């Protein structure tokens, strides 16, 4: 299924030009037009899925390995020393285009952190209660 109004569907299927890094039957990987660092790429499925909750098995089982393959190529080709795989789901999580995509962000020794948070705290009882709430919905 493709969404005729989705810009990422159009890019993933070659209707809109992009700086392509990789393509196979399920995915197109392009460079992000607003990169967080040099070489920042987006893994786009050719089919439309709003987010990871809608992602079908053939895509879900391959996207992480593809992220590793692209990240490894960035380390070899760009000389980055690491990379982040980032995938946002929902507006409150930072998703701005509602077509599943994974960011592959090369990291260089002189970069400031992109993905970080300050660890909070929770009591063992609170952790058990939270785990039970999640388990009840699986």
């Amino acid at each position: 299924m493709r969404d005729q109004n989705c810009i990422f569907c159009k890019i993933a299927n070659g209707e809109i030009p992009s700086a392509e890094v990789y393509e196979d039957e399920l995915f197109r990987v392009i460079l992000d037009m607003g990169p967080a660092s040099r070489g920042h790429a987006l893994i786009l499925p050719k089919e439309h899925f709003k987010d990871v909750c809608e992602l079908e098995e053939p895509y879900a089982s391959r996207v992480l390995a593809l992220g590793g393959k692209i990240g490894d190529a960035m380390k070899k080709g760009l000389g980055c020393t690491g990379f982040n795989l980032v995938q946002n789901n929902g507006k409150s999580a930072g998703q701005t285009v509602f077509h599943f995509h994974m960011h592959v962000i090369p990291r260089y020794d002189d970069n400031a952190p992109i993905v970080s948070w300050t660890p909070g705290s929770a009591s063992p009882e609170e952790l058990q209660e939270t785990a039970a709430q999640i388990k009840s919905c699986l």
Side-chain angles (χ1 to χ4, degrees), residues 10 13 27 29 34 50 52 67 81 88 96 102 108 121-122 126:
K10 292 177 182 178
N13 290 286
F27 296 98
V29 181
K50 181 182 77 171
V52 74
T81 54
N88 303 317
T96 58
M102 182 177 288
Y108 303 90
S121 63
E126 182 181 356

Side-chain angles (χ1 to χ4, degrees), residues 28-135:
R28 177 170 278 158
V29 181
I30 64 162
L31 293 183
D32 194 307
M33 292 180 63
S37 67
R38 181 175 174 266
H40 178 169
L42 299 175
I43 299 173
L44 305 174
K46 292 181 177 181
E47 296 295 321
H48 186 81
F49 306 99
K50 181 182 77 171
D51 57 26
V52 74
C53 298
E54 290 186 357
L55 196 63
E56 292 176 1
E57 176 57 33
Y59 298 87
S61 65
R62 290 182 55 190
V63 71
L64 191 59
L66 181 55
K69 178 178 182 170
I70 300 300
D72 190 46
M74 290 172 168
K75 289 166 68 175
K76 292 173 183 170
L78 301 176
C80 63
T81 54
F83 59 93
N84 294 108
L85 297 177
V86 178
Q87 204 286 304
N88 303 317
N89 293 281
K91 185 177 178 181
S92 62
Q95 186 177 10
T96 58
V97 178
F98 293 88
H99 176 113
F100 173 89
H101 57 286
M102 182 177 288
H103 298 260
V104 186
I105 305 171
R107 302 313 313 261
Y108 303 90
D109 287 337
D110 59 348
N111 281 133
I114 292 174
V115 179
S116 65
W117 60 86
T118 303
S121 63
S123 69
E125 295 79 22
E126 182 181 356
L127 293 174
Q128 289 300 325
E129 181 182 328
T130 301
Q133 289 172 319
I134 295 168
K135 284 181 187 179

